[in-house]
Amino acid sequence: MATIRDVAKKAGVSVATVSRALNDKGYIHEDTRKLVEKAIQELNYKPNEVARSLYKKKSRLIGLLLPDIRNPFFPELARGVEDEMQEHGLRLIIGNADEKPKKEIDYIDTFKQNNVIGIISATNQTETSHYENLDFPVVFLDRTANEHPSVYADGLAGGKIAAQEMIKRGSKRITLLRGPIELRTAQDRFKGAINEICNYNVNFNVMTTASFTFDDAEKIAKELFEKFPETDGVIASNDLGAAAILHEALRRGISVPDELQIIGYDDIPLSSLLYPALSTIRQPAYDMGREAAKLLIQIIDDEKLEHKNIQLPVTFIERQTTRKVEENG
Amino acid sequence: MATIRDVAKKAGVSVATVSRALNDKGYIHEDTRKLVEKAIQELNYKPNEVARSLYKKKSRLIGLLLPDIRNPFFPELARGVEDEMQEHGLRLIIGNADEKPKKEIDYIDTFKQNNVIGIISATNQTETSHYENLDFPVVFLDRTANEHPSVYADGLAGGKIAAQEMIKRGSKRITLLRGPIELRTAQDRFKGAINEICNYNVNFNVMTTASFTFDDAEKIAKELFEKFPETDGVIASNDLGAAAILHEALRRGISVPDELQIIGYDDIPLSSLLYPALSTIRQPAYDMGREAAKLLIQIIDDEKLEHKNIQLPVTFIERQTTRKVEENG
């Protein structure tokens, strides 16, 4: 691989001159610049990002922190962020916090020490003090935190729609799954649903899940049918949870959607592969990722922000775990 | 944030001395070292990794390249790699190549330019020339490539076991899904299955999938029942493909496992949430990630390698998409 010294030698100039040309700093004669550029091209020289970032105090790196890459919702977010960043010539490094506060802080350190120029965090920890006083901007994704810019989907509307669609289709004894208490996005969808349910004459129960992990999903599914066997409709807090409920219902010989309707939340790619395919509230994960990336780039470029907090709409995806509306007159 | 200058000032020494202490290079008096360490502690100084990596030409960063983070198999690999790296004080940056050669090469560049000390690649591209002549070691994971060290699961055995278990349970008209031609790991499991099937008096067909993506899985599932409606057993090339087949079979009113048995490959976390839960060949994804990380660390530390290529065993996970053995006498 060619070094800066090779470039200097070929161009017949000093290393300092090449460095000035590379970093657009200090005076350099136009002819000299052309010589340097020619040498760079001919040698296919790629300036070491570390050296450049030290010199210019700027890298082209963005850190993306995900709470749990096993949950298929987050890879979708990541792809949106990544595609937008790539179009702007920025590179992404992804950290997986695994729902552990310690790992999250470690990753923020790694990001810092590698001179990222911004972070997008989909953290699910309440404690966000380690995001204060950073030398670069932070955008929260699928989360909100204090005064930070953020991109998220409309949870209140999502919960409300789920409740409406379920009641419209005839469920009268609904169990609501409440996601982790500390997540505002999870609580919004729960509140939206419960507020709507209270407008109708239907019975309901609530079960709270401590996390969005696979293990908790399976545990809750088993408990639900023991505690509330009369349930004829489940509004889940995410699709993984809904998939676990669907599995457990079918295992118990409960007919879905005839005896039990289920509505998920997220619309992960696997939801349409389940059988019956999962009816769900779709969060536009890929678009959310794109929007977060756009927002961060605007902040890095010191552009005036029209909106600091961007809320995207959600939609009901009707598949086979809910009945057809006409069937219930 | 404290700088190296602050530390030097507080300790009453020169910046060069602090640098020597930090990098364990050159002579430094024990008392002076203690002064520096005290100052570092009191100021909570964290040396900038970029500056350190430039100075020492060493970072603590490892690059991990995944072909497609939407496929739940890969996040499992990543978690294994990450946990092992963390225990050794190394940090991971993850790149998602999205099955695109251009992205893969871009990520290798990003890794290079940020001075990673090693790469673990689960690439699925055949063209691996961009892994030659790097200044740091590369370990291939779930893949093999030329002379590079690698960690993978025993595909030949996996395919063989899948065929044996299916035939033992009475399927006589088997359709084999063949994964992407360019992936040796996919071809191994296919070869293992087909070699075994040829030992028995059963009919079989082959369908080839171009990729392991969701879209292709759904397409193939639809085609399969049109082309080979007589199929009574499917050996899939991965769990996503198997999930799509299961969905399509149930949609067509085919009873699983009574009329159709299905065996997947991978054992992704969602396989047990499907209904009926998916019987599959389990690749120890998490352990594979751990082993790849261990191997890379050994190479970085210049340890003598006992094995350059590590093959892990696979196991049959019996769930509900295959019949009980005794039922078929």
Side-chain angles (χ1 to χ4, degrees), chain A residues 32-95:
Chain A
T32 316
R33 181 187 301 279
K34 277 183 189 152
L35 279 174
V36 171
E37 277 166 8
K38 196 163 156 259
I40 285 172
Q41 250 180 355
E42 284 176 17
L43 293 168
N44 190 24
Y45 168 68
K46 290 188 179 163
N48 181 301
E49 277 291 323
V50 171
R52 293 197 66 182
S53 77
L54 192 71
Y55 188 86
K56 298 178 72 178
K57 284 276 173 218
K58 279 228 167 185
S59 72
R60 304 173 65 75
L61 276 185
I62 303 290
L64 171 65
L65 197 68
L66 301 179
D68 180 11
I69 49 172
R70 291 177 81 193
N71 181 336
F73 179 68
F74 296 109
E76 281 298 301
L77 286 181
R79 288 184 60 249
V81 174
E82 194 178 35
D83 285 354
E84 185 70 26
M85 290 300 178
Q86 270 217 334
E87 288 171 18
H88 287 80
L90 296 167
R91 305 291 179 85
L92 198 67
I93 52 180
I94 301 173

Side-chain angles (χ1 to χ4, degrees), chain B residues 205-318:
Chain B
N205 295 301
V206 173
M207 287 187 73
T208 302
T209 63
S211 79
F212 277 145
T213 60
F214 278 88
D215 291 346
D216 278 335
E218 291 187 309
K219 214 180 74 193
I220 287 284
K222 290 207 165 61
E223 277 178 35
L224 186 143
F225 293 102
E226 278 159 27
K227 275 196 182 165
F228 310 118
E230 72 284 7
T231 299
D232 69 356
V234 174
I235 297 178
S237 46
N238 70 349
D239 280 356
L240 277 191
I245 301 284
L246 175 61
H247 177 96
E248 185 62 19
L250 297 173
R251 202 182 68 77
R252 288 170 181 257
I254 298 168
S255 159
V256 177
D258 293 341
E259 297 173 75
L260 176 76
Q261 301 194 93
I262 303 171
I263 297 183
Y265 208 98
D266 284 346
D267 196 27
I268 57 176
L270 239 129
S271 299
S272 59
L273 284 188
L274 295 174
Y275 191 85
L278 186 67
S279 295
T280 191
I281 303 297
R282 177 165 209 274
Q283 295 202 77
Y286 180 86
D287 294 339
M288 288 163 70
R290 279 240 183 215
E291 286 301 322
K294 278 184 199 163
L295 189 58
L296 182 61
I297 291 168
Q298 284 178 332
I299 297 170
I300 290 170
D301 290 348
D302 279 329
E303 282 177 31
K304 198 173 160 342
L305 298 183
E306 262 183 74
H307 302 284
K308 216 179 112 179
N309 300 99
I310 297 172
Q311 180 175 278
L312 297 186
V314 298
T315 40
F316 177 59
I317 305 292
E318 183 174 12

Side-chain angles (χ1 to χ4, degrees), chain A residues 1 46-51 53-54 57 59 61 66 68-70 72 74-76 78-79 82-83 86 91-98 100 102-103 105-107 109-115 135 214 217-218 240 243-244 246-248 250-253 268-270 272-277 320, chain B residues 1 46-51 53-54 57 59 61 66 68-70 72 74-76 78-79 82-83 86 91-98 100 102-103 105-107 109-115 135 214 217-218 240 243-244 246-248 250-253 268-270 272-277 320:
Chain A
M1 229 165 52
K46 290 188 179 163
N48 181 301
E49 277 291 323
V50 171
S53 77
L54 192 71
K57 284 276 173 218
S59 72
L61 276 185
L66 301 179
D68 180 11
I69 49 172
R70 291 177 81 193
F74 296 109
E76 281 298 301
R79 288 184 60 249
E82 194 178 35
D83 285 354
Q86 270 217 334
R91 305 291 179 85
L92 198 67
I93 52 180
I94 301 173
N96 172 39
D98 232 0
K100 297 193 180 77
K102 167 90 173 62
K103 275 200 181 180
I105 292 170
D106 280 354
Y107 267 117
D109 265 352
T110 302
F111 292 159
K112 262 198 272 191
Q113 291 171 3
N114 288 283
N115 288 354
D135 297 335
F214 278 88
E218 291 186 310
L240 277 191
L246 175 61
H247 177 95
E248 186 63 19
L250 297 173
R251 202 183 68 78
R252 288 170 180 256
I268 57 175
L270 239 127
S272 59
L273 284 187
L274 295 174
Y275 193 84
Q320 279 84 49
Chain B
M1 232 165 51
K46 289 188 182 164
N48 182 301
E49 276 290 322
V50 170
S53 77
L54 193 71
K57 283 277 171 216
S59 72
L61 277 184
L66 301 179
D68 179 11
I69 49 172
R70 293 177 80 192
F74 296 108
E76 281 297 302
R79 290 183 60 250
E82 193 178 34
D83 284 354
Q86 271 217 332
R91 304 290 178 85
L92 197 65
I93 52 179
I94 302 173
N96 171 39
D98 231 0
K100 297 193 180 78
K102 168 87 172 62
K103 276 200 183 180
I105 293 172
D106 280 354
Y107 267 117
D109 265 354
T110 303
F111 292 159
K112 263 197 272 189
Q113 290 171 2
N114 288 284
N115 287 354
D135 297 336
F214 278 88
E218 291 187 309
L240 277 191
L246 175 61
H247 177 96
E248 185 62 19
L250 297 173
R251 202 182 68 77
R252 288 170 181 257
I268 57 176
L270 239 129
S272 59
L273 284 188
L274 295 174
Y275 191 85
Q320 279 84 48

